[in-house]
Amino acid sequence: MAVNASVASPSADASMGSVVAVKAPTGFTSLLMEGASGWTITLTVFLMLVAYDQFMYVWRKGRIAGPLFKLPFMGPFLESINPQFTAYQAKWASGALSCVSVFHKFVVIASTRDMARKVFNSPAYVKPCVVDVAHKLLRPTNWVFLDGKAHVDYRKGLNGLFTRKALQLYLPGQEAVFDEYFEKFLRVSREHHGQPVPFMPEFREFNCAVSCRTFVGHYISDQAVKKIADDYYKITAALELVNFPVILPYTRTWYGKKAADMVFDEFSKCAAKSKVRMAAGGDVTCIMDGWVKSMVESKRWRDKVAAGVDVDPAEKPAMLLREFSDFEISQTVFTFLFASQDASSSATTWLFQILADRPDVLERVQAENLEVRAGDRDRRLDMDMLERMTYTRAVVKEVLRYRPPVLMVPYEVKKAFPITPEYTVPKGAMVIPTTWPALHDPDVYPDPDTFNPDRWITGDAEKMSKNWLVFGTGPHYCLGQTYAQLNLMGLIGKASLHLDWKHHVTPISEDVKVFATIFPQDDCPLVFTPRP
């Protein structure tokens, strides 16, 4: 049978023209095809992403307070670079719950005492995240990010480092730093010919030195302490509430991580030295020693038991610890520095400013401190002395209430969190309990914007424990809160007997500057002179 083997295209045949003719595209299809490689698709995709970003914000926001819409993608990121305290106050006043959204992070702010306490006491729904970049600076394996039983068990091994007996052991090192820096304060004022100098930076260096001596003793050199004090600014600057999602070279977070890595390296070296000294039976002089000694004693107990040695049960350590690596010890001790440096620097700055402006309060502190020392102002500090400083303790507590160093404590939401019957914080969001409103509640602290230490002695302030959120509450409350208060008491008590200081008041002295924590807007200009 014959087969037509022609392979000519039908379109070559004029008679087929009406069959194969294709209608030219028009309308939206034409627009897409003509601009498919240009700006049209880019703009369309961008607008779709903007719409999605807005939709997700509005959906997550629900009916709580907050902007109706967010600036596409970045939200109020530029405001977070230079945070204003008045803006924080406005946010707290806007509602018990309010929100913002910055880049990928949706943030819910819990402003009232009850909302804040609910977050602090809901470990089933939330876990500490400090700030978004903290995992990168402190490392994801750091104990502060542990959750549930793992966190509880780890914390038990640290509790013994802050007992009354342990705190007594650290006092000589703390007081030696007081002496050293009192001389420096006087020298700074002399070098400036008695003119006022902003002392906030000096107080930051001083607190870093106190912390390092308390935490790692003399395993670290004076030069390394100075280096950490200088570079810690970079760590603080990196820990903004919300940062760009990626650490980029030569940004604040990049410099902050380099500074944090340097601290880890120094503290790891200290841990190695402490292990050698504690294994040889050395005395405990710092927090690191106390922890390492517990590890050494735990290992000796286990080795005896494993070898079948008959041991007296009374010799068993109160808490059996595993052996931690030098870097693990470094990580943990760094968290103590992280928790104390900015907060203590803030409290110290306000403490010196407030007492300089209130000579009647300072005179009572001086009288009490001379009395507990039996008239000898050079008598060295001990725990008995500190525990008898009733008024000095009230002054410190009132400073911490009046100007709380920690305004907000960020948590990450592990699963949908029904914080009220009407609102559920979505999984993955950040929820932030605040402390200022609870500590300035006029129903609890009458005339809350007045500095009044007597409210802690003759008033009802001591009974209002639910509002005392300075150190948090719940399973992640501050482990070193007793140490922090005693350190401030010892500092201001000793200073009141050995130094005189005057505050140069400016129009912005009482205004609050936010730099991780809070400081006077003018950085507290002071002049120090020796007290006769």
Side-chain angles (χ1 to χ4, degrees):
M1 182 172 70
V3 177
N4 183 358
S6 172
V7 294
S9 169
S11 61
D13 187 343
S15 65
M16 300 293 289
S18 61
V19 177
V20 299
V22 179
K23 187 176 180 180
T26 60
F28 183 68
T29 304
S30 175
L31 181 64
L32 280 179
M33 292 181 65
E34 290 174 5
S37 60
W39 289 100
T40 305
I41 291 179
T42 302
L43 179 61
T44 301
V45 171
F46 175 77
L47 292 175
M48 291 174 65
L49 290 173
V50 169
Y52 175 77
D53 187 49
Q54 295 295 335
F55 170 79
M56 292 302 297
Y57 167 71
V58 172
W59 177 72
R60 289 167 175 161
K61 174 182 179 294
R63 296 188 177 184
I64 65 174
L68 292 177
F69 302 100
K70 66 173 283 193
L71 189 66
F73 309 120
M74 67 188 300
F77 172 66
L78 296 179
E79 296 174 23
S80 71
I81 293 177
N82 183 29
Q84 299 297 311
F85 182 69
T86 52
Y88 283 169
Q89 288 181 305
K91 179 64 71 176
W92 301 332
S94 68
L97 295 174
S98 59
C99 68
V100 293
S101 182
V102 183
F103 290 122
H104 63 295
K105 186 61 67 175
F106 182 71
V107 181
V108 175
I109 300 165
S111 300
T112 64
R113 178 199 70 183
D114 292 341
M115 285 293 100
R117 289 185 66 86
K118 185 159 188 177
V119 176
F120 282 129
N121 289 291
S122 297
Y125 293 99
V126 300
K127 63 179 181 180
C129 64
V130 188
V131 295
D132 226 20
V133 77
H135 285 78
K136 300 181 180 74
L137 267 64
L138 302 181
R139 307 297 175 86
T141 55
N142 201 299
W143 81 280
V144 294
F145 302 124
L146 293 177
D147 200 21
K149 187 176 184 301
H151 173 264
V152 172
D153 290 346
Y154 201 109
R155 192 182 181 98
K156 285 180 181 177
L158 302 175
N159 285 335
L161 305 177
F162 296 95
T163 63
R164 185 184 188 280
K165 180 180 178 181
L167 294 176
Q168 173 66 51
L169 296 176
Y170 314 144
L171 283 176
Q174 291 169 244
E175 193 164 13
V177 177
F178 295 171
D179 292 337
E180 176 186 349
Y181 275 83
F182 287 177
E183 287 299 321
K184 182 177 182 184
F185 297 164
L186 294 171
R187 185 169 65 253
V188 168
S189 291
R190 285 196 304 271
E191 290 171 352
H192 287 83
H193 309 291
Q195 295 300 307
V197 177
F199 258 81
M200 185 270 274
E202 299 296 336
F203 291 145
R204 285 183 62 88
E205 182 183 322
F206 159 75
N207 276 283
C208 186
V210 172
S211 295
C212 285
R213 288 289 174 245
T214 305
F215 302 156
V216 300
H218 285 275
Y219 299 121
I220 191 169
S221 68
D222 292 340
Q223 292 78 10
V225 170
K226 182 69 167 64
K227 173 68 173 171
I228 292 172
D230 290 343
D231 285 6
Y232 204 91
Y233 259 114
K234 299 173 184 177
I235 299 173
T236 302
L239 292 168
E240 295 165 338
L241 183 58
V242 180
N243 268 292
F244 193 74
V246 179
I247 293 181
L248 300 176
Y250 308 109
T251 60
R252 289 182 180 182
T253 50
W254 186 80
Y255 284 114
K257 187 173 187 308
K258 286 177 69 69
D261 290 346
M262 179 270 292
V263 177
F264 282 135
D265 183 57
E266 287 292 338
F267 284 2
S268 292
K269 296 174 185 174
C270 293
K273 296 173 186 176
S274 179
K275 285 180 177 179
V276 172
R277 185 165 169 273
M278 290 300 101
D283 293 331
V284 172
T285 60
C286 61
I287 284 178
M288 183 177 282
D289 279 347
W291 197 26
V292 169
K293 185 175 182 179
S294 295
M295 296 177 207
V296 170
E297 291 173 345
S298 296
K299 184 178 184 304
R300 285 174 180 165
W301 168 268
R302 289 195 181 96
D303 289 346
K304 288 179 180 179
V305 172
V309 177
D310 187 18
V311 290
D312 184 348
E315 295 179 16
K316 184 178 179 181
M319 185 72 187
L320 284 173
L321 303 180
R322 68 173 175 86
E323 289 187 79
F324 291 84
S325 70
D326 295 347
F327 186 72
E328 285 177 313
I329 295 171
S330 174
Q331 278 187 306
T332 300
V333 175
F334 182 72
T335 63
F336 297 158
L337 179 64
F338 172 78
S340 65
Q341 172 61 12
D342 291 314
S344 295
S345 298
S346 168
T348 300
T349 305
W350 287 109
L351 191 55
F352 275 92
Q353 173 171 308
I354 288 168
L355 266 63
D357 294 343
R358 294 162 179 81
D360 57 322
V361 174
L362 180 55
E363 286 175 8
R364 291 177 66 180
V365 170
Q366 289 167 340
E368 180 178 75
N369 274 266
L370 196 58
E371 180 183 349
V372 299
R373 289 171 170 81
D376 179 7
R377 72 174 183 175
D378 294 319
R379 182 178 169 185
R380 308 305 282 179
L381 286 166
D382 59 45
M383 287 297 293
D384 290 336
M385 188 186 302
L386 288 166
E387 288 168 350
R388 290 163 52 207
M389 296 181 187
T390 304
Y391 186 73
T392 307
R393 177 179 177 275
V395 167
V396 167
K397 292 202 72 169
E398 182 67 352
V399 167
L400 296 175
R401 182 206 67 81
Y402 181 67
R403 291 292 184 263
V406 179
L407 296 179
M408 298 177 284
V409 187
Y411 282 77
E412 181 183 344
V413 179
K414 299 187 292 185
K415 61 181 180 180
F417 179 18
I419 194 168
T420 70
E422 298 79 26
Y423 184 73
T424 297
V425 186
K427 178 182 177 180
M430 185 185 288
V431 60
I432 304 178
T434 59
T435 64
W436 182 282
L439 293 164
H440 286 77
D441 183 346
D443 293 332
V444 176
Y445 304 109
D447 199 7
D449 293 324
T450 296
F451 181 82
N452 178 19
D454 285 313
R455 73 173 80 241
W456 298 98
I457 300 172
T458 59
D460 294 331
E462 202 67 63
K463 302 175 185 177
M464 306 302 178
S465 58
K466 284 191 174 183
N467 281 65
W468 180 248
L469 297 179
V470 172
F471 297 99
T473 187
H476 291 274
Y477 75 89
C478 178
L479 196 62
Q481 59 178 300
T482 301
Y483 158 75
Q485 292 176 80
L486 292 176
N487 182 56
L488 291 168
M489 290 166 57
L491 166 65
I492 201 63
K494 186 179 180 71
S496 73
L497 299 177
H498 291 267
L499 300 172
D500 283 329
W501 63 96
K502 292 183 179 180
H503 175 222
H504 176 69
V505 180
T506 73
I508 56 174
S509 289
E510 287 297 318
D511 293 345
V512 173
K513 175 174 68 175
V514 180
F515 183 62
T517 178
I518 61 172
F519 295 94
Q521 193 72 249
D522 59 8
D523 289 341
C524 190
L526 298 172
V527 177
F528 282 91
T529 55
R531 184 169 178 78

